[in-house]
Amino acid sequence: MILSLRKPGTISILLRSSIDYSTTLFNSFKLQWPTLLDHRTTLSQSEEKTRRETTSGTKNVAVLCQNSPAKVLDLNYENYRGFSSVTYDNPDSDAEVEPDDDSAEIENVSVKSRADSKEVDRVCKVIDELFALDRNMEAVLDESGINLSHDLVLDVLERFRHARKPAFRFFCWAGEKAGFAHDSRTCNSMMNILGRTRQFETMVSMLEEMAEKKLLTMETFKIAMNAFAAAKERKKAIAVLELMKKYKYKAGVDTINCLLDNLGRAKLGKEAQVLFEKLKDRFTPNLMTYTVLLNGWCKVKNLMEAGRVWNDMIDKGFKPDIVVHNIMVEGLLKSKKMSDTIKLFELMKAKGPSPNVRSYTIMIGFFCKQRKMKEAVEYLDEMLESGYSPDAAVYTSLITGFGNQRRMDMVYELLKEMREKGCPPDGRTYTALIKLMTSQRMADDAVRIYKKMVQSGIKPTIHTYNMLMKSFFQTRNYEMGCAVWNEMIKNGCCPDDNSYTVFIRGLISQGRPGEACKYLEEMMEKGMKVPQLDYKKFAADFSRAGKSDILEELAQKMKFSGKFEVSNVFARWAGKQR
C-alpha cells in the first residue's frame, strides 16, 4: 500500500532547506512577491478558487482488482471480436499515439441526451453507407421515417464530429424538414465541427445566419474564437470581438479572458499579451485575466515574460492564489527549472497559499514521468502528512512511473489500494494501464483492461482506440488491428485524422495498398485532412501491381483537395507505368 512506501525520517528533504524565502524567489527573473500576510480567504474567494481549480474527480465504477494483487490483470471475459488471444513478435513496439497538443480540441458542453440510441444508430448507418455512394442519401433519409428531435440531431453530429461533409449534409437535410427547425444547440454543434475542421468561411456564414434567426448565444462567439485561436489565426480570433459588437453582444471581461485563454492554449502567448495591451483600457482586468496570460507564457516556456505578468499582477493589487501558483509550478517544471520549482513550493508551504492536491499531483506526476520514483514517493509522503488523500490522477501517475520501471508488483499494489481507499480507476487510469501493457508486450492484458474499462461504464476515448490499433499493426497483427477499428466504429466513436492515419499506415505495412486506398479516399470524401504517409512507397506498391489507373485517379483527387505534392508523386508513378 502507499502507506507502506513511507519511510521514517524521510518526510521530505525539502523541509531541511534553510533558504530565506522572504526575499525574491527567482533572482534571474526578479519576481516580486506580495507581502506575506495571513492567507485566509473569504467565502466568495474560496468559491472562486473552487470554480477555477481543475482537479481530477473519481467515478463510481468497478475497480480492476478482484482478488489478490497478483491477479489484478488476470481477468476472465468472454471472447469478443478476437480480443482474447494475441501474440506479440516485435519487442520494439511503441503503442503511443499522442493527441496533437497544438491543435486544441473544441468541445461541446456535454448534456444528457434523451434521443433513442437505436434510432441514432439507424440514422448513422444510413449516412455511413450512402454518403460516399452515388445514391441519394437525403432521399433515403426522407423514406426512413425518422422522428427528428434536437437531441437526435446532436447525437448524430457528435458521431460525425470529425467528418465534416457527412455531418454538414445531414445538418442541412434536417433543417429543411417540415416541422423541424434548428435551435442554438444544434447550430453551435455544427459550428464546432466546422471550426475543428477549419472551414472558417462556412462557420462565419452560419454565424450570420444564426443572427438572422435570432439563435446567437455567447457560446457561438466562444466557439468561433476558440476555432480561430486553435488554428493560430490571431487576427480572425480578435475580429470575433467586433462581430459581437455588431450583433449587440457586450465583450466583457469574461469574454476577453476566454479569448486570451484560447490564444494561450494555442501557444500564442505573445499574441495574447499584445491583445491584452491593446484592450486593457477598454475593460477592467481581473485575477483571471492575469492567470490566463501567465498560463500562456508558461505553455511556451517563456519564464521571463511570465515573471513580468506576475509582477504586473501584484502591482495592480492582485494576490496570486493557489491556481496561479500551480500554473507557475508547472511552468517551471516544464522549463526544467527544478531548483526554482522547489524554492516556490517551499515558499508556498511556509507563507501560503499552501499546496493543495493539484500542487502535489503536478510534482508527483513530473517525477513519475522522469522515472524518479524516490522523489515522487517523497512528495506523496508529504502530501499524506499534509492531510490530503491521493485521487485517481495521483494513483495514475504512480502506476505509470512504477510500470515504466517494470515494477509490476507496485502497479498491482496501487490498484489494490485504489479499491480499498474508495478511489476507483477513471478513464485516464485505464488508458495508462492499456498503454503500459502494450508497451511491455502484454497484449492479452491490454485487451482485458479495455474490456474492464467498458464494463465499468467508462467510454474509451479516440486516443485509447488509436493506441491499441497502432500497437497491433506495429506487431504485425493485422486481424487485431482491424478488430480495434471495427470495435471503434461499432461503439459509435467517430474516427479522427489520427485513427485513419494509423489504420492506413497499418494496411500499407501489411502489403494491402488496395484497402489503404479505399480508406484514403473515404477520408477525402468526408472532408478530412489527408494523412501524412510514405506516399512514394504507397505509389510504388500500386505501380508494381500494374494499377496505374488507380494512381491517376488518386492524383486528381489529391489535386482537388489541395495536396499538390502528393498529387505529383502519384502522377509521376502513374506515368512510369505507361
Side-chain angles (χ1 to χ4, degrees):
M1 294 186 185
I2 285 183
L3 294 178
S4 67
L5 300 176
R6 299 170 62 189
K7 301 176 182 178
T10 61
I11 293 177
S12 176
I13 58 172
L14 301 178
L15 296 178
R16 300 176 189 148
S17 176
S18 59
I19 298 174
D20 180 8
Y21 295 109
S22 61
T23 59
T24 305
L25 180 63
F26 309 127
N27 292 330
S28 58
F29 307 136
K30 297 182 180 179
L31 289 182
Q32 300 170 1
W33 292 89
T35 305
L36 299 170
L37 303 174
D38 183 87
H39 272 237
R40 289 174 295 181
T41 60
T42 63
L43 179 61
S44 60
Q45 288 174 317
S46 298
E47 289 172 345
E48 174 68 6
K49 288 182 184 180
T50 302
R51 183 180 69 82
R52 294 169 57 223
E53 182 66 34
T54 302
T55 56
S56 298
T58 58
K59 300 177 182 178
N60 184 22
V61 295
V63 295
L64 285 173
C65 309
Q66 296 292 332
N67 299 307
S68 64
K71 295 184 179 180
V72 170
L73 302 175
D74 187 18
L75 305 174
N76 297 313
Y77 299 112
E78 294 181 6
N79 296 347
Y80 180 71
R81 288 184 177 273
F83 276 28
S84 60
S85 180
V86 188
T87 302
Y88 270 81
D89 56 11
N90 182 359
D92 299 318
S93 173
D94 175 11
E96 184 172 7
V97 184
E98 292 291 357
D100 183 1
D101 290 337
D102 293 335
S103 56
E105 275 290 307
I106 307 166
E107 298 294 345
N108 285 324
V109 177
S110 180
V111 179
K112 180 73 174 177
S113 174
R114 291 174 293 180
D116 183 346
S117 59
K118 291 183 179 179
E119 185 74 347
V120 173
D121 290 339
R122 186 168 73 94
V123 174
C124 291
K125 185 177 181 181
V126 171
I127 298 171
D128 258 332
E129 293 178 351
L130 301 180
F131 172 76
L133 302 178
D134 292 334
R135 293 177 62 186
N136 191 328
M137 181 189 85
E138 287 81 359
V140 176
L141 287 172
D142 285 337
E143 298 168 0
S144 298
I146 300 168
N147 184 19
L148 276 178
S149 68
H150 293 113
D151 280 342
L152 183 140
V153 171
L154 287 170
D155 285 357
V156 173
L157 291 178
E158 174 65 14
R159 292 277 188 96
F160 290 95
R161 64 189 180 278
H162 300 297
R164 165 181 55 89
K165 289 184 178 179
F168 193 62
R169 273 181 61 179
F170 170 75
F171 178 84
C172 293
W173 169 82
E176 294 173 355
K177 296 301 294 176
F180 179 84
H182 286 297
D183 63 4
S184 296
R185 289 190 304 151
T186 57
C187 288
N188 283 340
S189 180
M190 192 66 234
M191 284 271 294
N192 252 322
I193 294 171
L194 293 170
R196 182 186 288 113
T197 53
R198 303 190 179 183
Q199 300 300 305
F200 297 137
E201 188 175 337
T202 308
M203 183 183 72
V204 172
S205 295
M206 176 170 286
L207 187 149
E208 292 172 344
E209 186 174 338
M210 290 174 68
E212 292 175 7
K213 296 180 178 179
K214 302 189 184 305
L215 296 177
L216 285 178
T217 64
M218 283 299 297
E219 183 67 19
T220 311
F221 295 107
K222 288 180 180 179
I223 289 169
M225 283 191 292
N226 198 350
F228 287 129
K232 302 187 186 298
E233 295 277 3
R234 176 181 60 87
K235 291 183 179 179
K236 292 179 180 177
I238 295 170
V240 176
L241 295 177
E242 298 305 315
L243 267 181
M244 292 180 65
K245 190 184 299 183
K246 174 183 175 182
Y247 294 117
K248 311 299 181 187
Y249 277 79
K250 184 179 179 181
V253 62
D254 289 341
T255 304
I256 293 174
N257 286 348
C258 176
L259 177 53
L260 296 175
D261 190 34
N262 287 332
L263 290 169
R265 290 174 186 274
K267 298 186 179 179
L268 295 173
K270 181 179 179 180
E271 286 79 356
Q273 189 71 44
V274 169
L275 176 61
F276 169 74
E277 297 299 334
K278 287 182 178 180
L279 298 177
K280 65 181 181 181
D281 294 332
R282 294 167 50 183
F283 79 108
T284 303
N286 57 16
L287 180 58
M288 177 64 81
T289 310
Y290 290 101
T291 301
V292 298
L293 287 172
L294 187 74
N295 189 49
W297 285 120
C298 285
K299 272 194 171 293
V300 294
K301 303 177 184 179
N302 191 328
L303 296 181
M304 184 67 73
E305 292 299 330
R308 289 193 181 122
V309 171
W310 185 287
N311 293 341
D312 192 24
M313 173 172 48
I314 294 170
D315 290 343
K316 295 298 187 295
F318 294 105
K319 181 185 290 185
D321 63 5
I322 188 61
V323 180
V324 176
H325 280 76
N326 286 343
I327 287 172
M328 185 58 83
V329 166
E330 200 160 20
L332 288 167
L333 287 174
K334 287 180 179 178
S335 300
K336 299 181 180 179
K337 301 287 185 180
M338 179 51 63
S339 62
D340 288 330
T341 305
I342 293 175
K343 289 177 185 178
L344 175 56
F345 212 81
E346 285 298 303
L347 181 66
M348 291 167 66
K349 290 189 293 181
K351 304 294 185 179
S354 298
N356 62 2
V357 173
R358 173 65 179 159
S359 313
Y360 285 106
T361 301
I362 292 169
M363 297 296 286
I364 293 168
F366 173 80
F367 285 116
C368 287
K369 285 182 180 178
Q370 299 297 313
R371 303 192 180 192
K372 296 180 178 179
M373 298 311 295
K374 178 177 179 292
E375 290 85 348
V377 170
E378 285 174 352
Y379 274 98
L380 173 66
D381 177 73
E382 188 178 308
M383 177 183 181
L384 293 167
E385 289 289 335
S386 299
Y388 293 115
S389 298
D391 60 9
V394 173
Y395 280 112
T396 300
S397 292
L398 291 167
I399 286 169
T400 300
F402 282 116
N404 287 335
Q405 289 188 340
R406 297 185 181 275
R407 290 286 309 278
M408 297 308 293
D409 57 328
M410 291 304 305
V411 171
Y412 301 145
E413 198 68 35
L414 287 163
L415 288 168
K416 178 183 177 183
E417 182 167 333
M418 290 184 80
R419 178 194 63 180
E420 293 174 346
K421 298 292 184 181
C423 180
D426 61 7
R428 287 181 181 270
T429 311
Y430 281 108
T431 299
L433 283 167
I434 291 170
K435 178 180 174 182
L436 182 62
M437 296 302 110
T438 54
S439 67
Q440 297 191 13
R441 295 182 292 135
M442 299 171 68
D444 286 342
D445 291 313
V447 171
R448 288 174 183 138
I449 292 169
Y450 163 81
K451 290 181 179 179
K452 186 64 178 177
M453 180 180 188
V454 174
Q455 188 183 66
S456 299
I458 298 176
K459 188 175 181 179
T461 66
I462 193 71
H463 176 45
T464 308
Y465 290 115
N466 291 348
M467 184 171 55
L468 275 170
M469 187 163 50
K470 182 179 180 181
S471 174
F472 287 125
F473 279 130
Q474 283 185 331
T475 54
R476 301 183 183 280
N477 194 329
Y478 169 77
E479 290 185 0
M480 285 299 293
C482 290
V484 175
W485 176 271
N486 292 333
E487 176 83 351
M488 176 171 59
I489 302 299
K490 170 184 172 291
N491 290 334
C493 187
C494 180
D496 64 2
D497 297 334
N498 283 336
S499 308
Y500 274 100
T501 300
V502 170
F503 194 46
I504 292 170
R505 282 177 177 168
L507 294 172
I508 293 173
S509 69
Q510 298 297 319
R512 300 171 185 266
E515 291 180 57
C517 177
K518 168 190 168 186
Y519 288 100
L520 185 61
E521 290 184 80
E522 185 176 298
M523 282 191 79
M524 290 186 287
E525 287 165 350
K526 288 183 175 180
M528 303 173 77
K529 290 190 299 184
V530 179
Q532 298 299 314
L533 302 169
D534 185 350
Y535 286 104
K536 290 184 179 180
K537 182 181 183 304
F538 190 47
D541 289 342
F542 276 114
S543 183
R544 283 192 294 270
K547 298 179 180 179
S548 60
D549 55 332
I550 293 179
L551 293 179
E552 290 174 353
E553 185 179 343
L554 278 174
Q556 287 298 317
K557 289 186 177 182
M558 288 292 180
K559 186 175 181 180
F560 289 136
S561 68
K563 293 285 181 178
F564 299 110
E565 289 185 19
V566 178
S567 174
N568 292 335
V569 170
F570 285 146
R572 190 162 55 247
W573 280 93
K576 291 181 180 181
Q577 284 300 106
R578 294 193 186 98

